[in-house]
Amino acid sequence: MRTTAAEPMDTTSRRPRLVLTQGDPAGIGPEVLLKLLAAAPPEASWAPLLVAERAALEPLRPVLPEVPWDRLRYLGALPTAEELGRLDTVGAIPVLDPVGSARALIFGDSGAADAGGAMAALDAGIALVRSGVADALVTAPVSKASIAHHHLPGFKGHTDYLAEVCGLERYGRDYLMVFLAPDLQVALLTVHVPLREAIDTACDGVAVAEALDCLQRHAGGRIALAGLNPHAGEGGLLGEEDGRFLVPAVAAARERGLDVHGPESADSLFARASRGEFDWVLALYHDQGLIAVKTASFGLATNWTLGLPFLRTSVDHGTAFALAGRGIADARPLDEVVKATLGLISGRLPRKR
C-alpha cells in the first residue's frame, strides 16, 4: 500500500518498527546506528531492526563502550514479525547481517566489499519493509562513487535505486526527493543532474506540472514554486524564462485546484516559507533547495522519498570517511531522522498551515 501524508499508519496496538541500514560500512553509518541505540532506552517509542554487517559493527567495540553490546542478537536470515516480537520481549536488539561473512574492514576506505555490503543491506531493508515486517526504512549514507565503481555502474543514489526497484519510472511525475527541516519543507524539481539540464527541466511545463501534482498527491498544502532568475525575472527584465514557462505552470496548477503560488523570488522565498507563509517550496534544482535547507538546519533535516509504496527516510549528510571508526561521529542527525520518521508514521508530519 502506498503510504502518504493523508494515510498515517495504524500502529496504535504496537511500537513502530524501523529498519535501519548500515550505508557504506567503511563510513560513519555503523557508528551512528550504534550510538543511536546507546541513547535509546529499551522502552523507547519505536523498535529497531538493524541491517548491518557484524564485520562493520564489532571493530567499533573499543571506541564505543557505551553501546549495549550484550543486547545485540545477530540474525542469519530475514526475520518474521513473530521472531522480532519475541526478541522485543527480552529487550534484545535484532541485527540482520546482510553478508554473513567475516572480513577485514578499513574504515575510511570504501572498496568492493564495502560497496557490495552497502547494497546488500539496502536490498534486505527493502525486502523487510515491503513484506510488512517494518513500518519504515531509514538509510545511513552510501558512497555513490564506490557503488558505481565497484558494484553497480550508473548508480546515482538511494532515491533513484529505490524508485526503480518499486517500478516507478519518472522522477517528478512518480516520485520526488523532499527534505523536512524544523521550519522548512522543500521538494526538488531536479536532483543530481548538471545545472544546464536542470534549467531545461524548469522550462518544461509538463515536468513542472508533474512535480507539482506529485507533491500535492503525496503531501499537499500551500506550495510555492521558486523562481529561476533573480527576482523571478523581474517581469522579464532579468530573464524571460519565469514569465514564459513558470507563470503558466502555476496558473494551470491553480486551475487544477492546487494551492500553488509563484514563481516567487528565491532570494527571500525560503525565509518566507520558514516563517509559515507556505507549507512547501518546490525548488527548481538541487543546490537552490539544499543550500537553503542545510544553511538553516544542517544535521536536522530529513530526506524523505515521496511516492514510494513504503516510507523511506535518510540523513542529510554523507559517509564522512575521514571520521569513520574513531568514535567521534555525531548521531544527532540520525536521531532527528528517527523523530521525523515517527512523525510521518503518526501523521503529524508533513506540516500544514
Side-chain angles (χ1 to χ4, degrees):
M1 181 184 74
R2 188 179 301 276
T3 301
T4 71
E7 300 173 358
M9 300 177 185
D10 182 10
T11 58
T12 54
S13 61
R14 59 177 176 80
R15 294 188 298 167
R17 172 83 58 188
L18 306 186
V19 56
L20 304 106
T21 59
Q22 67 180 356
D24 191 307
I28 63 170
E31 179 180 333
V32 295
L33 292 182
L34 290 170
K35 285 185 172 180
L36 180 73
L37 297 179
E43 66 278 6
S45 61
W46 59 282
L49 169 54
L50 267 61
V51 182
E53 294 174 73
R54 190 168 190 161
L57 300 181
E58 292 297 328
L60 293 168
R61 279 182 180 261
V63 296
L64 297 177
E66 71 276 15
V67 170
W69 294 100
D70 59 328
R71 292 173 54 207
L72 300 188
R73 298 292 186 275
Y74 288 97
L75 310 175
L78 294 177
T80 65
E82 291 74 19
E83 290 170 331
L84 293 173
R86 288 194 292 270
L87 291 173
D88 287 343
T89 59
V90 297
I93 300 171
V95 182
L96 174 63
D97 186 335
V99 176
S101 59
R103 66 181 180 94
L105 186 145
I106 303 175
F107 286 112
D109 184 9
S110 181
D114 303 299
M119 293 307 297
L122 179 57
D123 287 338
I126 293 170
L128 287 163
V129 74
R130 295 187 83 174
S131 71
V133 168
D135 299 293
L137 173 64
V138 179
T139 58
V142 298
S143 169
K144 300 178 186 65
S146 181
I147 292 172
H149 178 69
H150 295 293
H151 188 79
L152 189 62
F155 180 82
K156 292 184 177 181
H158 278 114
T159 301
D160 288 339
Y161 183 81
L162 289 162
E164 182 178 356
V165 168
C166 294
L168 303 179
E169 297 177 352
R170 191 155 80 212
Y171 181 84
R173 183 192 68 183
D174 302 328
Y175 62 103
L176 283 171
M177 180 185 292
V178 308
F179 289 84
L180 306 174
D183 298 308
L184 193 61
Q185 299 182 148
V186 176
L188 303 180
L189 175 67
T190 60
V191 281
H192 302 126
V193 299
L195 185 56
R196 175 70 266 169
E197 184 178 332
I199 293 172
D200 291 341
T201 301
C203 296
D204 181 342
V206 172
V208 175
E210 289 178 344
L212 288 170
D213 288 343
C214 184
L215 184 56
Q216 172 66 28
R217 187 165 62 249
H218 295 291
R222 186 178 175 92
I223 303 168
L225 178 65
L228 178 62
N229 291 300
H231 303 174
E234 193 86 27
L237 181 65
L238 304 178
E240 63 178 16
E241 291 87 356
D242 295 87
R244 285 184 59 194
F245 304 109
L246 301 182
V247 168
V250 169
R254 292 181 69 86
E255 289 180 359
R256 296 194 301 275
L258 279 67
D259 187 5
V260 180
H261 303 262
E264 304 288 344
S265 180
D267 62 353
S268 60
L269 173 57
F270 297 94
R272 293 165 61 193
S274 68
R275 294 169 184 166
E277 187 174 343
F278 304 104
D279 298 308
W280 287 97
V281 173
L282 178 59
L284 301 181
Y285 53 94
H286 182 277
D287 285 9
Q288 185 184 54
L290 269 294
I291 288 173
V293 169
K294 293 189 178 185
T295 299
S297 53
F298 185 76
L300 301 177
T302 294
N303 180 341
W304 174 26
T305 307
L306 208 63
L308 295 176
F310 52 81
L311 177 57
R312 177 263 169 169
T313 58
S314 186
V315 292
D316 68 350
H317 61 73
T319 53
F321 287 128
L323 305 179
R326 298 165 57 191
I328 61 174
D330 189 354
R332 287 176 296 178
L334 182 59
D335 183 56
E336 292 296 326
V337 170
V338 168
K339 292 175 183 176
T341 305
L342 297 176
L344 290 167
I345 290 173
S346 69
R348 180 176 56 83
L349 291 176
R351 295 180 303 280
K352 291 186 181 180
R353 297 168 68 252

Coordinates of all heavy atoms in Angstrom, one line a residue, residues 134-196:
A134 N 8.6 -4.3 8.8 CA 8.9 -3.0 9.3 C 8.0 -1.9 8.8 O 7.4 -2.1 7.7 CB 10.4 -2.6 9.0
D135 N 7.9 -0.8 9.5 CA 7.0 0.2 9.1 C 7.7 1.3 8.3 O 7.0 2.1 7.6 CB 6.4 0.9 10.4 CG 5.5 -0.1 11.2 OD1 4.5 -0.5 10.7 OD2 6.0 -0.4 12.3
A136 N 9.0 1.4 8.4 CA 9.7 2.4 7.6 C 11.1 1.9 7.4 O 11.7 1.1 8.2 CB 9.7 3.7 8.3
L137 N 11.8 2.4 6.4 CA 13.2 2.2 6.1 C 13.9 3.5 6.3 O 13.6 4.5 5.7 CB 13.3 1.7 4.6 CG 14.7 1.6 4.0 CD1 15.4 0.5 4.7 CD2 14.6 1.3 2.5
V138 N 15.0 3.4 7.1 CA 15.8 4.5 7.4 C 17.2 4.1 7.0 O 17.8 3.2 7.5 CB 15.8 4.9 8.9 CG1 16.7 6.1 9.2 CG2 14.4 5.2 9.4
T139 N 17.8 4.9 6.1 CA 19.0 4.5 5.5 C 20.2 5.5 5.9 O 20.0 6.7 5.9 CB 19.0 4.6 3.9 OG1 18.6 5.9 3.5 CG2 17.9 3.6 3.4
A140 N 21.3 4.8 6.3 CA 22.5 5.6 6.5 C 23.2 5.9 5.2 O 22.9 5.2 4.2 CB 23.5 4.8 7.4
P141 N 24.1 6.8 5.1 CA 24.7 7.3 3.8 C 25.5 6.2 3.1 O 26.3 5.5 3.8 CB 25.4 8.5 4.1 CG 25.7 8.4 5.6 CD 24.6 7.7 6.2
V142 N 25.4 6.2 1.8 CA 26.3 5.3 1.0 C 27.2 6.2 0.2 O 27.0 7.4 0.0 CB 25.5 4.4 0.0 CG1 24.6 3.5 0.8 CG2 24.6 5.2 -0.9
S143 N 28.2 5.6 -0.4 CA 29.1 6.3 -1.3 C 28.7 6.0 -2.8 O 28.8 4.8 -3.2 CB 30.6 5.8 -1.1 OG 31.4 6.3 -2.2
K144 N 28.1 6.9 -3.4 CA 27.7 6.7 -4.8 C 28.8 6.3 -5.7 O 28.7 5.4 -6.5 CB 27.0 8.0 -5.4 CG 25.8 8.5 -4.6 CD 25.3 9.8 -5.2 CE 24.2 10.4 -4.4 NZ 24.6 10.8 -3.1
A145 N 30.0 7.0 -5.5 CA 31.2 6.7 -6.3 C 31.6 5.3 -6.1 O 32.0 4.6 -7.1 CB 32.3 7.7 -6.0
S146 N 31.7 4.8 -4.9 CA 32.2 3.5 -4.6 C 31.2 2.4 -5.2 O 31.7 1.4 -5.9 CB 32.3 3.2 -3.1 OG 32.8 1.9 -2.8
I147 N 29.9 2.6 -5.0 CA 29.0 1.6 -5.6 C 29.0 1.6 -7.1 O 29.0 0.6 -7.8 CB 27.6 2.0 -5.1 CG1 27.5 1.7 -3.6 CG2 26.5 1.1 -5.8 CD1 26.2 2.1 -2.9
A148 N 29.1 2.8 -7.7 CA 29.1 2.9 -9.2 C 30.4 2.3 -9.7 O 30.4 1.7 -10.8 CB 29.0 4.4 -9.6
H149 N 31.5 2.5 -9.0 CA 32.8 1.9 -9.5 C 33.0 0.4 -9.3 O 33.4 -0.3 -10.1 CB 33.9 2.7 -8.8 CG 35.3 2.2 -9.1 ND1 35.9 2.4 -10.4 CD2 36.3 1.5 -8.4 CE1 37.1 1.8 -10.4 NE2 37.3 1.3 -9.2
H150 N 32.5 0.0 -8.1 CA 32.8 -1.4 -7.7 C 31.7 -2.4 -7.9 O 31.9 -3.6 -8.1 CB 33.2 -1.5 -6.2 CG 34.4 -0.8 -5.9 ND1 35.7 -1.2 -6.3 CD2 34.7 0.3 -5.1 CE1 36.6 -0.4 -5.8 NE2 36.0 0.5 -5.1
H151 N 30.4 -1.9 -8.0 CA 29.3 -2.8 -7.8 C 28.2 -2.6 -8.9 O 27.8 -3.6 -9.5 CB 28.7 -2.7 -6.4 CG 27.7 -3.7 -6.1 ND1 28.0 -5.0 -5.7 CD2 26.3 -3.6 -6.1 CE1 26.9 -5.6 -5.5 NE2 25.9 -4.8 -5.7
L152 N 27.8 -1.4 -9.1 CA 26.6 -1.1 -9.9 C 26.9 0.1 -10.8 O 26.6 1.2 -10.4 CB 25.4 -0.9 -9.0 CG 24.0 -0.9 -9.7 CD1 23.7 -2.2 -10.5 CD2 22.9 -0.6 -8.7
P153 N 27.4 0.0 -12.0 CA 27.7 1.1 -12.8 C 26.4 2.0 -13.1 O 25.4 1.4 -13.3 CB 28.2 0.5 -14.1 CG 28.8 -0.8 -13.7 CD 27.9 -1.3 -12.6
G154 N 26.6 3.3 -13.0 CA 25.5 4.1 -13.2 C 24.7 4.4 -12.0 O 23.7 5.2 -12.0
F155 N 25.0 3.9 -10.8 CA 24.3 4.1 -9.6 C 24.4 5.6 -9.2 O 25.5 6.2 -9.2 CB 24.9 3.3 -8.5 CG 24.2 3.5 -7.1 CD1 23.0 2.8 -6.8 CD2 24.8 4.3 -6.2 CE1 22.4 3.0 -5.6 CE2 24.2 4.5 -4.9 CZ 23.0 3.8 -4.6
K156 N 23.3 6.2 -9.0 CA 23.3 7.7 -8.7 C 22.7 8.0 -7.2 O 22.6 9.2 -6.9 CB 22.4 8.4 -9.7 CG 23.0 8.4 -11.1 CD 22.2 9.3 -12.0 CE 22.8 9.3 -13.4 NZ 22.0 10.1 -14.4
G157 N 22.4 7.0 -6.5 CA 22.0 7.2 -5.1 C 20.8 6.4 -4.7 O 20.1 5.7 -5.6
H158 N 20.4 6.5 -3.4 CA 19.3 5.7 -2.9 C 18.0 6.0 -3.6 O 17.2 5.1 -4.0 CB 19.1 6.1 -1.4 CG 20.0 5.5 -0.4 ND1 20.9 6.1 0.3 CD2 20.0 4.2 0.0 CE1 21.5 5.3 1.1 NE2 21.0 4.1 1.0
T159 N 17.7 7.3 -3.9 CA 16.4 7.7 -4.4 C 16.0 7.0 -5.7 O 15.0 6.3 -5.8 CB 16.3 9.2 -4.5 OG1 16.6 9.8 -3.3 CG2 14.9 9.6 -5.0
D160 N 16.9 7.1 -6.7 CA 16.6 6.5 -8.0 C 16.6 5.0 -7.9 O 15.8 4.3 -8.6 CB 17.6 7.0 -9.0 CG 17.3 8.4 -9.4 OD1 16.2 8.9 -9.2 OD2 18.3 9.1 -9.9
Y161 N 17.5 4.4 -7.1 CA 17.5 2.9 -7.0 C 16.2 2.4 -6.3 O 15.6 1.5 -6.8 CB 18.7 2.5 -6.1 CG 18.9 1.0 -6.0 CD1 19.4 0.3 -7.0 CD2 18.4 0.4 -4.8 CE1 19.6 -1.1 -6.9 CE2 18.5 -1.0 -4.7 CZ 19.1 -1.7 -5.7 OH 19.2 -3.1 -5.6
L162 N 15.8 3.1 -5.3 CA 14.5 2.7 -4.6 C 13.4 2.8 -5.6 O 12.5 1.9 -5.7 CB 14.3 3.5 -3.4 CG 15.2 3.2 -2.2 CD1 15.1 4.4 -1.2 CD2 14.8 2.0 -1.5
A163 N 13.3 3.9 -6.3 CA 12.2 4.0 -7.3 C 12.2 3.0 -8.4 O 11.2 2.4 -8.7 CB 12.3 5.4 -7.9
E164 N 13.4 2.6 -8.9 CA 13.5 1.6 -9.9 C 13.0 0.2 -9.4 O 12.3 -0.5 -10.0 CB 14.9 1.5 -10.4 CG 15.1 0.5 -11.5 CD 16.5 0.4 -12.1 OE1 17.4 1.3 -11.6 OE2 16.8 -0.4 -12.9
V165 N 13.5 -0.1 -8.2 CA 13.0 -1.4 -7.5 C 11.5 -1.4 -7.4 O 10.9 -2.5 -7.6 CB 13.7 -1.5 -6.2 CG1 13.1 -2.7 -5.4 CG2 15.2 -1.8 -6.4
C166 N 10.9 -0.3 -7.1 CA 9.5 -0.2 -6.9 C 8.7 0.0 -8.2 O 7.4 0.2 -8.1 CB 9.1 0.9 -5.9 SG 9.8 0.5 -4.3
G167 N 9.4 0.0 -9.3 CA 8.7 0.2 -10.6 C 8.2 1.6 -10.9 O 7.4 1.8 -11.8
L168 N 8.8 2.6 -10.3 CA 8.5 4.0 -10.6 C 9.4 4.5 -11.7 O 10.6 4.3 -11.6 CB 8.6 4.9 -9.3 CG 7.8 4.4 -8.1 CD1 8.1 5.4 -6.9 CD2 6.3 4.4 -8.4
E169 N 8.8 5.0 -12.7 CA 9.6 5.3 -13.9 C 10.2 6.6 -14.1 O 11.3 6.8 -14.6 CB 8.7 5.0 -15.2 CG 8.3 3.5 -15.2 CD 7.3 3.3 -16.4 OE1 6.9 4.3 -17.1 OE2 7.0 2.1 -16.7
R170 N 9.5 7.7 -13.6 CA 10.0 9.0 -13.9 C 10.0 9.9 -12.7 O 9.0 10.1 -12.0 CB 9.1 9.6 -15.0 CG 9.7 10.9 -15.6 CD 9.2 11.2 -16.9 NE 7.8 11.8 -16.9 CZ 6.9 11.7 -17.9 NH1 7.2 10.8 -18.9 NH2 5.8 12.3 -17.8
Y171 N 11.2 10.5 -12.5 CA 11.4 11.4 -11.4 C 10.5 12.6 -11.6 O 10.4 13.1 -12.7 CB 12.8 11.8 -11.2 CG 13.0 12.8 -10.0 CD1 13.1 12.3 -8.7 CD2 12.9 14.2 -10.2 CE1 13.2 13.2 -7.7 CE2 13.0 15.1 -9.1 CZ 13.1 14.5 -7.9 OH 13.2 15.4 -6.8
G172 N 9.9 13.1 -10.6 CA 9.0 14.3 -10.7 C 7.5 13.9 -10.9 O 6.7 14.3 -10.1
R173 N 7.3 13.0 -11.8 CA 5.9 12.5 -12.0 C 5.5 11.5 -11.0 O 4.4 11.5 -10.4 CB 5.8 11.9 -13.4 CG 4.3 11.5 -13.8 CD 4.3 10.6 -15.0 NE 5.0 9.3 -14.8 CZ 5.2 8.4 -15.8 NH1 4.8 8.7 -17.0 NH2 5.8 7.3 -15.6
D174 N 6.5 10.5 -10.8 CA 6.1 9.4 -9.9 C 6.7 9.5 -8.5 O 6.2 8.9 -7.6 CB 6.7 8.1 -10.6 CG 6.1 7.8 -12.0 OD1 5.0 8.2 -12.2 OD2 6.9 7.3 -12.8
Y175 N 7.8 10.2 -8.3 CA 8.4 10.3 -7.0 C 9.3 11.6 -7.0 O 9.6 12.1 -8.0 CB 9.3 9.1 -6.7 CG 10.5 8.9 -7.7 CD1 11.8 9.2 -7.3 CD2 10.3 8.3 -9.0 CE1 12.9 9.0 -8.1 CE2 11.4 8.1 -9.8 CZ 12.6 8.5 -9.4 OH 13.7 8.3 -10.2
L176 N 9.5 12.0 -5.8 CA 10.3 13.3 -5.5 C 11.2 13.1 -4.3 O 10.9 12.4 -3.4 CB 9.3 14.4 -5.2 CG 8.6 15.1 -6.4 CD1 7.5 16.1 -5.8 CD2 9.5 15.8 -7.3
M177 N 12.3 13.8 -4.4 CA 13.2 13.9 -3.2 C 12.7 15.2 -2.5 O 12.7 16.3 -3.0 CB 14.6 14.0 -3.6 CG 15.6 14.2 -2.4 SD 17.3 14.5 -3.0 CE 17.7 12.9 -3.7
V178 N 12.4 15.0 -1.2 CA 12.0 16.2 -0.4 C 12.7 16.2 0.9 O 13.2 15.1 1.4 CB 10.5 16.2 -0.1 CG1 9.7 16.1 -1.4 CG2 10.0 15.1 0.8
F179 N 12.8 17.3 1.6 CA 13.5 17.5 2.8 C 12.6 18.2 3.8 O 12.0 19.2 3.6 CB 14.8 18.3 2.6 CG 15.8 17.6 1.9 CD1 15.8 17.5 0.5 CD2 16.8 16.9 2.5 CE1 16.8 16.8 -0.2 CE2 17.8 16.1 1.8 CZ 17.8 16.1 0.4
L180 N 12.6 17.6 5.0 CA 11.8 18.1 6.2 C 12.8 18.6 7.2 O 13.6 17.9 7.7 CB 11.0 17.0 6.8 CG 10.0 16.2 5.9 CD1 9.4 15.1 6.7 CD2 9.0 17.1 5.3
A181 N 12.8 19.9 7.4 CA 13.6 20.6 8.4 C 12.7 21.2 9.4 O 11.5 21.2 9.3 CB 14.5 21.7 7.7
P182 N 13.2 21.6 10.6 CA 12.4 22.1 11.7 C 11.4 23.1 11.2 O 10.2 23.2 11.7 CB 13.4 22.6 12.7 CG 14.6 21.7 12.5 CD 14.6 21.5 11.0
D183 N 11.8 24.1 10.4 CA 10.9 25.2 10.0 C 10.8 25.3 8.5 O 10.3 26.3 8.0 CB 11.4 26.5 10.5 CG 11.5 26.5 12.0 OD1 10.4 26.2 12.6 OD2 12.5 26.8 12.6
L184 N 11.1 24.2 7.7 CA 11.2 24.4 6.3 C 10.9 23.0 5.6 O 11.5 22.0 6.1 CB 12.5 24.9 5.8 CG 12.7 25.4 4.4 CD1 11.8 26.6 4.1 CD2 14.2 25.8 4.2
Q185 N 10.1 23.0 4.6 CA 9.8 21.7 3.8 C 10.1 22.1 2.4 O 9.4 22.9 1.8 CB 8.4 21.2 4.1 CG 8.2 20.9 5.6 CD 6.7 20.4 5.8 OE1 6.6 19.6 6.7 NE2 5.8 20.8 5.1
V186 N 11.0 21.3 1.8 CA 11.5 21.6 0.4 C 11.4 20.4 -0.4 O 11.9 19.3 0.0 CB 12.9 22.2 0.4 CG1 13.4 22.5 -1.0 CG2 12.9 23.5 1.2
A187 N 10.9 20.5 -1.6 CA 10.9 19.5 -2.6 C 11.8 19.9 -3.8 O 11.9 21.1 -4.0 CB 9.5 19.1 -3.1
L188 N 12.4 19.0 -4.5 CA 13.3 19.3 -5.6 C 12.7 18.9 -6.9 O 12.4 17.7 -7.1 CB 14.6 18.6 -5.4 CG 15.4 18.9 -4.1 CD1 16.7 18.1 -4.0 CD2 15.6 20.4 -3.9
L189 N 12.6 19.9 -7.9 CA 12.2 19.5 -9.2 C 13.2 18.7 -9.9 O 12.8 17.7 -10.7 CB 12.0 20.8 -10.0 CG 11.6 20.7 -11.5 CD1 10.2 20.1 -11.6 CD2 11.7 22.0 -12.2
T190 N 14.5 18.9 -9.7 CA 15.5 18.1 -10.3 C 16.5 17.8 -9.2 O 16.6 18.5 -8.2 CB 16.3 18.8 -11.4 OG1 16.8 20.0 -10.9 CG2 15.3 19.1 -12.6
V191 N 17.3 16.7 -9.4 CA 18.2 16.3 -8.3 C 19.7 16.3 -8.8 O 20.2 17.4 -9.1 CB 17.8 15.0 -7.7 CG1 16.7 15.2 -6.7 CG2 17.4 14.0 -8.7
H192 N 20.2 15.1 -9.0 CA 21.7 15.0 -9.3 C 21.9 15.1 -10.8 O 22.2 14.1 -11.5 CB 22.2 13.8 -8.7 CG 22.1 13.7 -7.2 ND1 21.5 12.6 -6.6 CD2 22.4 14.6 -6.3 CE1 21.4 12.9 -5.3 NE2 22.0 14.1 -5.1
V193 N 21.7 16.3 -11.4 CA 21.9 16.5 -12.8 C 22.6 17.8 -13.0 O 22.6 18.6 -12.2 CB 20.5 16.5 -13.6 CG1 19.7 15.2 -13.5 CG2 19.7 17.7 -13.1
P194 N 23.3 17.9 -14.2 CA 24.0 19.2 -14.4 C 23.0 20.4 -14.4 O 21.9 20.2 -14.8 CB 24.6 19.0 -15.8 CG 24.7 17.5 -16.0 CD 23.5 17.0 -15.2
L195 N 23.6 21.5 -14.1 CA 22.7 22.7 -14.0 C 22.0 23.0 -15.3 O 20.9 23.5 -15.3 CB 23.5 23.9 -13.5 CG 22.8 25.2 -13.2 CD1 21.6 25.0 -12.2 CD2 23.7 26.3 -12.7
R196 N 22.7 22.9 -16.4 CA 22.2 23.1 -17.7 C 20.9 22.3 -17.9 O 19.9 22.7 -18.4 CB 23.2 22.8 -18.8 CG 22.7 22.9 -20.2 CD 22.4 24.4 -20.6 NE 21.0 24.7 -20.5 CZ 20.5 25.9 -20.5 NH1 21.3 26.9 -20.7 NH2 19.2 26.1 -20.4

